[in-house]
């Protein structure tokens, strides 16, 4: 769909590009940038803006940046904007790396340090009179860190100190990877300040901070040990060193210079009250370097700049670099949204051409490759995730690679079995660690396979405290519809088809219970026309669907009509609302969170609000949306991630931490990897499309019997 979009728009821009090229008296190269599809509208604007200025560029979209890296590797696109972690994915893609010939050809640098080799360099700073001559001398010192999970204050010292054999055993199988790290730091240093969320699970986070409380002792608020804290962050670590009893601080070179009033790149010195002559850089080899404007700091590692990565099929690299640089300048001049989201630029940065370099070598030069690859748990410790469809396997593998590159541990290993039961057996018999099932299957998994629920999907406002989603029947205020019986002969909008609880299973169940239909097949004739994305194209159930109307291309619109993915404008709960407000339907069947979301997003036709709708109650009458608890068609259980009840508490904690760490990353940044939403054109792969994040399950969750009954009554499939 998205490639077709770019072709359509490029055709309309071709004349503009040719005119612009002629105007500047030269023929310009048109290269193709791959962008995450959530930024498609911005890319359309970028193509229009750049073409009018004689900087022709085309776009194709990928599902997310992960897929864009793959598309550049397959030469379906020329360039993609990337972080160092994306460069790592390119370097380690065994199928593509050699064929692709990836090269980083341009870097996103700061205006303050446009000639710096790296985005930042990690250093250790000590008091000048500290008696230390080697890294072994760190034992027993008081250590100041930027924060847990951060690069210069956590990952880099952990990686390098492990390699130097300074840390204790970080491979103890009794503990999770994160706890092994914290135990090692807590044993090495007598006290420290290491703020932040030590685990995304609140209970585990609290336990860890109580167990290793010495690593909070130097913080402003040791009992909280979280942001905001004046002794956290790059400057805070130095403040901890200078004013709160710290012996060593882990931070960035640029903040050392700023803290001590030294010149930074093109910025002249700005004096401070801190005296750099009282401090030294401490080097990995045990030597020390003065802190002043003339000496070069000794670094432990560096984070490479973000940049633009091309493939080996791009022959005229200089031309591409020129256009990327000009594109950055144009975006800044226009203050365009695409400038930030597509080119990763802002007011403090600019695109700088650099000698082409393979991504792996780029990472090695910065001594950053081992930082990404670090595995603090024992080498063989992985989280084995069992699935039983190829789509789930593909998504699991992508999640595994992407999450590992961004420091989610333990690493996911994806296993394929033939059925859900085969996966449950594997988890029971220690052949796998994780499996995700619908909530209605949890009771059986517990009783027959000794399963342990550990994580649930969440959906945001409108769901219950157990992540159940009420299925609701929605009409516009003033509608003549007052009861389920009034729906006969009306046009219906459904969030989905067959496997969709709110959009299909719940209305079928309610209409059968009300004796208005006898089977789900009757639904086709009960309504005058419907949009149920995923139904058979050309049927009455697809009659009201509209396809990809944004393409402005009749062939594309027809080809995408009623698809069970984002290509269909009326797909999902938000799509059902659009169907209703676009006057393509008289009633909408959808999950309540989708309705509650419109007040936040305000993306529906005409800027409608939840107060513009009423709910149709199964027992008759209407109710305001806020009274959904007495007016719904049933509560849909979430999907639940299970492990084995035979595992230790520490083992379960580790699995929770790894999965929640990954979901925290990608729920905030779906442009990096779309964890929730259709995958490869298929709905509900691994997780429900409408999920917004994951959350820990504890002993207070007791809905398993209720959900099993719901599964049987509503005929929810496994």
């Amino acid at each position: 769909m998205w490639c077709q979009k770019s072709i359509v728009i490029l055709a309309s821009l071709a004349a503009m590009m040719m005119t612009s090229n002629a105007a500047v008296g030269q023929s310009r190269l048109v290269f193709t940038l791959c962008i995450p599809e959530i930024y498609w509208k911005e890319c359309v604007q970028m193509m229009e803006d750049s073409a009018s200025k004689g900087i022709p560029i085309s776009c194709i979209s990928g599902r997310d940046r992960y897929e864009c890296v793959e598309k550049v590797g397959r030469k379906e696109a020329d360039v993609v904007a990337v972080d160092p972690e994306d460069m790592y994915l390119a370097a380690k893609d065994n199928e593509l790396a050699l064929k692709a010939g990836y090269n980083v050809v341009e870097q996103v640098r700061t205006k303050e340090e446009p000639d710096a080799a790296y985005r930042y360099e990690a250093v250790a700073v000590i008091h000048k009179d500290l008696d230390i001559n080697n890294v072994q001398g760190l034992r027993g010192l008081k250590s100041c860190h930027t924060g847990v999970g951060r690069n210069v204050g956590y990952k880099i010292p952990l990686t390098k100190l492990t390699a130097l054999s300074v840390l204790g055993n970080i491979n103890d199988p009794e503990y999770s990877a994160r706890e092994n790290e914290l135990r090692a730091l807590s044993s090495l240093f007598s006290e420290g300040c290491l703020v932040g969320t030590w685990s995304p699970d609140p209970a585990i986070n609290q336990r860890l901070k109580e167990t290793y409380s010495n690593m909070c002792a130097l913080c402003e608020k040791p009992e909280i040990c979280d942001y905001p804290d004046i002794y956290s962050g790059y400057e805070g670590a130095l403040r901890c060193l200078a004013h709160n009893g710290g012996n060593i601080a882990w931070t960035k070179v640029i903040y050392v210079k700023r803290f001590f009033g030294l010149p930074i790149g093109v910025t002249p010195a700005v004096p401070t009250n801190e005296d750099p002559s009282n401090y030294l850089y401490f080097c990995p080899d045990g030597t020390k370097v003065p802190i002043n404007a003339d000496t070069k700091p000794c670094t432990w590692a560096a984070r490479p700049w973000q940049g633009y990565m091309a493939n080996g099929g791009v022959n005229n690299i200089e031309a591409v670099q020129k256009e990327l640089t000009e594109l950055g300048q144009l975006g800044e001049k226009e203050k365009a949204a695409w400038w930030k989201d597509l080119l990763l630029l802002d007011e403090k940065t600019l695109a700088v051409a650099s000698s082409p370099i393979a991504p792996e070598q780029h990472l090695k030069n910065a001594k950053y490759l081992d930082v990404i690859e670090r595995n603090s748990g024992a080498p063989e410790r992985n989280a084995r995730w069992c699935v039983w469809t190829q789509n789930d396997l593909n998504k699991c593998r992508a999640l595994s690679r992407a999450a590992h590159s961004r420091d989610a541990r333990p690493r996911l290993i994806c296993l394929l079995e033939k059925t859900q039961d085969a996966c449950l057996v594997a988890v029971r018999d220690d052949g796998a660690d994780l499996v995700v099932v619908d909530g209605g299957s949890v009771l059986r998994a517990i009783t027959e396979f000794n399963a342990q629920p550990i994580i649930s999907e969440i959906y945001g406002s409108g769901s219950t405290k157990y992540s159940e989603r009420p299925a609701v029947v929605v009409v516009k205020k003033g509608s003549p519809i007052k009861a389920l019986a009034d729906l006969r002969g009306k046009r219906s909008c459904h969030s989905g088809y067959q496997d969709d609880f709110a959009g299909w299973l719940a209305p079928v169940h309610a209409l059968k219970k009300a004796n208005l239909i006898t089977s789900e097949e009757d639904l086709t004739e009960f309504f005058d026309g419907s949009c149920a994305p995923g139904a058979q194209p050309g049927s009455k159930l697809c009659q009201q669907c509209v396809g990809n109307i944004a393409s402005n291309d009749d062939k594309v619109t027809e080809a995408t009509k009623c698809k069970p993915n984002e290509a269909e404008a009326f797909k999902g709960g938000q799509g059902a609302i659009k169907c209703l407000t676009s006057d393509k339907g008289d009633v909408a069947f959808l999950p309540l969170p989708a309705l509650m979301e419109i007040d936040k997003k305000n993306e529906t036709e005409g800027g409608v609000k939840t107060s513009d709708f009423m709910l149709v109650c199964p027992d008759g009458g209407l109710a305001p949306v806020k009274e959904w608890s007495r007016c719904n068609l049933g509560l849909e259980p979430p999907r639940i991630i299970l492990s084995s009840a035979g595992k230790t508490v520490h083992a379960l904690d580790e699995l929770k931490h790894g999965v929640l760490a990954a979901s925290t990353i990608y729920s905030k940044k779906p442009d990096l990897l779309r964890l929730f939403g259709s995958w490869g054109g298929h709905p509900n792969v691994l997780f429900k499309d409408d999920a917004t994040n994951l959350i820990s399950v504890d002993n207070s969750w007791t809905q398993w019997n209720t959900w099993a009954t719901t599964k049987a009554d509503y005929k929810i499939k496994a």
Side-chain angles (χ1 to χ4, degrees):
M1 171 187 75
W2 302 97
C3 292
Q4 287 171 305
K5 275 189 184 180
S6 64
I7 292 170
V8 171
I9 293 171
L10 280 174
S12 67
L13 293 175
M16 188 187 301
M17 289 181 178
M18 291 174 64
T19 302
S20 298
N21 291 344
V24 297
Q26 58 183 345
S27 176
R28 296 294 298 270
L29 175 72
V30 177
F31 70 91
T32 303
L33 181 71
C34 187
I35 53 97
E37 63 186 26
I38 62 171
Y39 297 136
W40 178 253
K41 290 181 180 179
E42 292 176 31
C43 209
V44 171
Q45 187 61 53
M46 182 182 72
M47 287 190 285
E48 293 176 353
D49 292 348
S50 61
S52 67
K53 301 295 184 181
I55 315 170
I57 182 173
S58 66
C59 289
I60 67 167
S61 68
R63 176 194 61 245
D64 43 42
R65 197 187 294 173
Y66 182 99
E67 188 177 46
C68 275
V69 170
E70 292 186 326
K71 286 193 171 190
V72 169
R74 293 193 298 264
K75 299 181 172 60
E76 295 171 25
D78 301 312
V79 179
V80 57
V82 290
D83 296 329
E85 289 75 14
D86 305 307
M87 299 175 195
Y88 176 79
L89 291 176
K92 296 299 178 178
D93 189 327
N94 295 329
E95 293 183 16
L96 277 180
L98 290 176
K99 295 179 182 177
Y102 290 112
N103 273 308
V104 180
V105 299
E106 183 118 346
Q107 296 176 9
V108 174
R109 297 185 181 175
T110 60
K111 294 174 181 175
E112 191 170 41
E113 296 185 294
D115 299 320
Y118 306 110
R119 179 179 173 187
Y120 56 75
E121 296 174 285
V123 290
V125 180
I126 60 174
H127 295 276
K128 71 173 183 179
D129 54 359
L130 184 67
D131 184 16
I132 180 173
N133 298 301
N134 54 54
V135 290
Q136 300 299 331
L138 293 173
R139 188 164 304 280
L141 296 185
K142 298 179 180 181
S143 185
C144 303
H145 302 258
T146 54
V148 73
R150 295 176 66 167
N151 270 321
V152 299
Y154 188 80
K155 291 194 289 186
I156 288 173
L158 272 170
T159 303
K160 304 304 180 178
L161 293 175
T162 300
L164 292 167
S165 302
V166 177
L167 289 179
N169 180 15
I170 60 169
N171 296 331
D172 191 329
E174 184 180 345
Y175 300 97
S176 69
R178 174 51 61 85
E179 186 159 2
N180 267 313
E181 296 167 352
L182 295 169
R183 287 179 74 242
L185 291 172
S186 177
S187 298
L188 177 63
F189 300 114
S190 61
E191 290 184 336
C193 180
L194 180 66
V195 305
T197 302
W198 288 13
S199 170
D201 180 292
I204 299 173
N205 181 61
Q206 184 63 31
R207 178 182 66 79
L208 292 175
K209 287 185 177 179
E210 290 174 357
T211 304
Y212 309 105
S213 59
N214 66 313
M215 292 308 296
C216 296
L218 294 184
C219 296
E220 178 189 10
K221 299 173 184 175
E223 70 283 359
I224 299 174
C225 200
D226 207 344
Y227 303 102
D229 192 294
I230 62 172
Y231 300 124
S232 70
Y234 304 117
E235 187 173 336
L238 290 165
R239 200 177 291 119
C240 168
L241 172 73
H243 305 294
N244 204 40
N247 302 127
I248 185 168
W250 307 88
T251 188
K252 290 179 181 179
V253 170
I254 190 171
Y255 278 85
V256 174
K257 293 179 177 179
R258 191 169 291 155
F259 189 76
F260 292 115
L262 302 173
I264 303 169
V266 298
T267 304
V270 179
T272 69
N273 293 326
E274 308 294 341
D275 184 357
S277 66
N278 291 326
Y279 300 88
L280 298 167
Y281 290 113
F282 179 66
C283 311
D285 63 2
T287 59
K288 303 161 191 173
V289 174
I291 298 175
N292 56 52
D294 303 316
T295 56
K296 179 177 174 55
C298 59
T299 64
W300 289 65
R303 180 168 175 81
W305 296 108
Q306 295 171 296
Y308 307 108
M309 192 165 63
N311 57 52
V314 176
N315 296 319
N316 195 339
I317 289 176
E318 289 185 1
V320 170
Q321 290 172 329
K322 187 174 187 296
E323 293 197 2
L324 283 168
T325 300
E326 291 177 350
L327 202 58
Q329 293 168 347
L330 174 64
E332 180 168 18
K333 181 180 178 182
E334 301 291 334
K335 294 293 185 281
W338 54 259
W339 174 55
K340 294 186 177 183
D341 292 334
L342 305 187
L343 299 183
L344 311 182
L345 295 168
D346 59 30
E347 293 80 2
K348 296 181 180 180
T349 60
L350 71 169
V352 178
S354 58
S355 298
I357 186 171
E360 184 165 9
Q361 190 59 50
H362 187 51
L363 297 172
K364 285 181 177 178
N365 289 351
K367 297 183 286 187
Y368 195 69
L369 186 67
D370 61 338
V371 177
I372 293 178
E373 290 187 328
R374 73 188 187 89
N375 188 358
S376 296
E380 70 276 6
R381 288 171 69 173
N382 297 303
R384 301 161 296 174
W385 194 316
C386 190
V387 299
W388 57 93
T389 73
Q390 187 61 46
N391 290 328
D392 285 345
L393 182 65
N394 294 342
K395 184 172 183 178
C396 179
R397 285 175 172 170
L399 174 60
S400 170
R401 295 184 67 234
H404 182 75
S405 77
R406 292 185 183 272
D407 202 43
R409 299 291 188 275
R411 182 198 288 268
L412 294 175
I413 299 295
C414 306
L415 310 174
L416 180 65
E417 291 286 354
K418 291 183 178 179
T419 64
Q420 175 178 292
D421 276 11
C423 278
L424 289 169
V425 168
V427 170
R428 181 195 67 193
D429 296 344
D430 198 31
D433 302 300
L434 300 166
V435 60
V436 60
V437 302
D438 70 273
S441 299
V442 172
L443 179 64
R444 178 171 171 264
I446 292 172
T447 56
E448 296 184 22
F449 300 94
N450 195 35
Q452 174 71 44
I454 59 171
I455 292 171
S456 171
E457 298 173 327
I458 55 175
Y459 303 94
S461 177
S463 56
T464 71
K465 69 176 182 177
Y466 296 116
S467 292
E468 300 151 315
R469 287 186 294 168
V472 292
V473 187
V474 180
V475 294
K476 289 185 282 190
K477 259 186 180 175
S479 168
I481 297 170
K482 305 297 181 187
L484 293 181
D486 297 335
L487 297 178
R488 188 182 298 277
K490 301 299 190 293
R491 301 165 301 162
S492 62
C493 306
H494 305 256
S495 56
Y497 179 60
Q498 287 193 327
D499 292 340
D500 189 285
F501 183 86
W504 191 261
L505 298 176
V508 166
H509 178 268
L511 293 172
K512 285 172 67 175
K513 191 175 179 180
N515 295 316
L516 294 171
I517 60 173
T518 58
S519 69
E520 70 173 306
E521 287 75 20
D522 293 346
L523 219 60
T524 305
E525 297 307 318
F526 182 80
F527 293 113
D528 188 45
S530 304
C531 178
Q536 183 63 38
S539 68
K540 274 185 71 178
L541 292 175
C542 290
Q543 182 178 302
Q544 301 304 111
C545 293
V546 292
N548 178 18
I549 51 178
S551 68
N552 296 317
D553 182 278
D554 291 342
K555 290 182 179 179
V556 173
T557 300
E558 193 59 35
T560 53
K561 192 173 181 180
C562 211
K563 290 290 184 183
N565 55 46
E566 285 76 8
E568 167 57 60
F570 292 165
K571 182 259 183 186
Q574 292 285 316
I577 295 170
K578 289 179 183 177
C579 171
L580 180 64
T581 57
S582 300
D583 200 30
K584 298 289 283 187
D586 305 301
V587 62
F589 300 95
L590 62 144
L592 180 65
L595 185 61
M596 303 299 283
E597 192 69 15
I598 66 173
D599 284 342
K600 295 179 184 177
K601 292 187 174 181
N602 203 23
E603 289 179 350
T604 48
E605 301 288 336
V608 293
K609 295 180 171 57
T610 54
S611 56
D612 297 324
F613 301 99
M614 298 292 287
L615 304 182
V616 182
C617 304
D619 297 331
L622 302 178
V625 173
K626 65 182 179 181
E627 296 181 20
W628 62 265
S629 60
R630 71 171 182 86
C631 188
N632 66 76
L633 304 186
L635 302 180
E636 177 185 12
R639 286 187 178 176
I640 300 291
I641 297 178
L642 306 173
S643 189
S644 169
K647 290 188 181 297
T648 67
V649 171
H650 286 304
L652 292 173
D653 282 357
E654 176 165 50
L655 294 170
K656 282 186 180 181
H657 178 88
V659 175
L660 293 176
S663 71
T664 299
I665 295 167
Y666 298 117
S667 63
K668 293 178 180 176
K669 295 282 290 178
D671 54 314
L672 300 179
L673 182 83
R674 193 167 68 200
L675 192 56
F676 308 112
S678 64
W679 188 275
H682 302 280
N684 304 314
V685 179
L686 272 189
F687 305 111
K688 294 287 182 68
D689 288 354
D690 296 336
T692 58
N693 207 341
L694 303 177
I695 191 174
S696 289
V697 168
D698 58 31
N699 292 333
S700 69
W701 289 58
T702 56
Q703 301 299 97
W704 320 126
N705 286 294
T706 301
W707 291 354
T709 301
T710 300
K711 178 182 175 68
D713 290 349
Y714 288 76
K715 296 180 171 55
I716 302 174
K717 295 180 182 178

